[in-house]
Structure formats: structure tokens, C-alpha cells
Amino acid sequence: MAPSGMSVALAVAAAVVATHQAVSFVLPSPAASAPALAGAGAAQGGAEKAQGAASGAAWGAAAAAVAFGAHAGLAMAMRGRTARHAEAQTTTTTTYMESAADERLFEQVYLDYATEYLKGPMYHNDLKVQGFLPEYPGDPMFKQGKMTSNVVGNLKTFSSNELAFFAVLFFAIGLYGTLMFWWFDPQFLRADLTGQINPSYVIEALFLPVSFFMHIACYI
């Protein structure tokens, strides 16, 4: 992993401190050289010259330490940059290929957006009124030349098998009521004799036309 800027700064600081300590250990300090010169009986001018030379040596060592630390930091930075460049070259880029799922998702999102736009007030059309003949946005009556389940209204929530069951059931109830009203229990004859008829036959007979519409809804 490439070193960070904080680690480089810490390495440079550690190199400067180590170099300064090494130079201080090898070269004598000005405080230590003064008693030695005094003991030797050197003149005051010679002592000042020796102290200036020692101070110059200390400054030179400090400059050398700074130069060494700077070079070490630059070397580590270049090494990290080279490592990042090599790592970037190893990563491969793949081109995007649209799949069938992505295409269907785009079509669905576009259809939903267009539907909501047509429902809103920003789109105005004379046919956009409440009723059966105009098609509501998102609920087409015809699609690809065929009727959709939106034609049957609330019955679109039922499946074809459920509508087929109700069609057969209503047909049986309606046929029973019709046969009983006209042939097996004639209600007009009963009305002439008793003045009353069985109303259940009338209600059951009304299921017969309902079964026809259930059959049509099942087919759609």
C-alpha cells in the first residue's frame, strides 16, 4: 500500500532528529570546547575563532540533516507514486453492455413517467375527460389491436378461471329460474289461480344475462 502524507512527514522528522543527534555526538559542543581552550592558555581571540568554527560546523550538520531528510522524503514519495501508478495500471476497465433486464427497466421507467405526465395538469387534451370512451392514461382499452382487461372495469381484478366459474354458476342459476318460471312451475297459471307468483324465479332468471357478460369477460 502507498505511504500517506503523514507517514512521509514523520519519516523526514525522524531522519532530521537522528542526524542532528549523531552530529552532536561526534562534534564537540561550544560549551565543552571553551574550558579546554582556556586550560591551554589560548588567547581570547583564538577562543572566539574556535567558537565560531564550532558554530559553523553545527549549522553545517543541521543543513546536511535537513538535506538528507528532504531527499529521504522525496524518495519515499516517489516510491509511493510509482506503486500507485503500477496499481492503477493493473486494474482493468470493462465497457458497459446493456442487458435485457436493463432494457426492460428503462422501458418500464419511461412508461411510468409518461403515464404520470399524461395524468397531470401539464398535458391537456379534449378527450381527457371522465367517462368510459376516453382511455385513461396508463389504462388503455386496446393494445396491439386487442381488448385489454381494462374494458371489463372492476372485473379485471378477477382471473380468467374465477370469471369462468362465475359464468357457469350464474348460467346454472339463471337457467333454473327460467325453466321453473315458464315450464316446470308456470307462474302465469299460478297467478290466475292464486293471484301470486314466486319472485325467486324472477330473480334467478336475471342471472342468465349476467352469465353471458361473465363469459365475455373471461374470454378477454
Side-chain angles (χ1 to χ4, degrees):
M1 179 182 294
S4 60
M6 183 62 70
S7 62
V8 173
L10 292 176
V12 172
V16 172
V17 172
T19 307
H20 183 69
Q21 293 293 335
V23 172
S24 298
F25 178 76
V26 175
L27 297 177
S29 63
S33 61
L37 293 175
Q44 184 178 0
E48 293 178 355
K49 184 182 295 185
Q51 185 177 1
S55 178
W59 280 104
V66 171
F68 176 79
H71 283 78
L74 289 175
M76 296 182 67
M78 291 298 296
R79 181 175 179 274
R81 182 179 178 182
T82 304
R84 289 193 300 269
H85 183 68
E87 184 179 353
Q89 288 182 347
T90 55
T91 58
T92 58
T93 58
T94 58
T95 57
Y96 170 73
M97 298 295 295
E98 186 178 11
S99 62
D102 295 338
E103 185 177 358
R104 288 193 299 270
L105 178 62
F106 173 78
E107 293 177 355
Q108 185 63 37
V109 171
Y110 180 81
L111 179 61
D112 294 341
Y113 177 81
T115 301
E116 295 301 324
Y117 175 77
L118 293 176
K119 289 180 180 179
M122 298 299 294
Y123 177 78
H124 175 73
N125 195 303
D126 295 336
L127 297 177
K128 193 178 177 183
V129 295
Q130 186 176 3
F132 176 77
L133 291 178
E135 297 181 358
Y136 290 103
D139 296 330
M141 300 296 179
F142 295 88
K143 192 173 183 178
Q144 297 180 355
K146 297 181 179 180
M147 289 186 178
T148 63
S149 59
N150 297 318
V151 176
V152 297
N154 295 330
L155 294 178
K156 67 180 181 181
T157 57
F158 293 90
S159 64
S160 297
N161 293 334
E162 292 172 345
L163 292 175
F165 170 76
F166 285 117
V168 174
L169 178 63
F170 290 171
F171 177 77
I173 295 175
L175 184 61
Y176 170 79
T178 302
L179 294 177
M180 292 298 294
F181 185 89
W182 289 103
W183 288 284
F184 297 103
D185 190 8
Q187 294 301 299
F188 289 108
L189 182 59
R190 182 178 181 181
D192 294 338
L193 297 176
T194 63
Q196 296 180 354
I197 62 173
N198 190 353
S200 63
Y201 294 154
V202 179
I203 297 175
E204 292 169 353
L206 292 177
F207 280 83
L208 195 60
V210 175
S211 67
F212 173 76
F213 293 105
M214 287 289 180
H215 175 75
I216 298 298
C218 172
Y219 174 75
I220 294 176

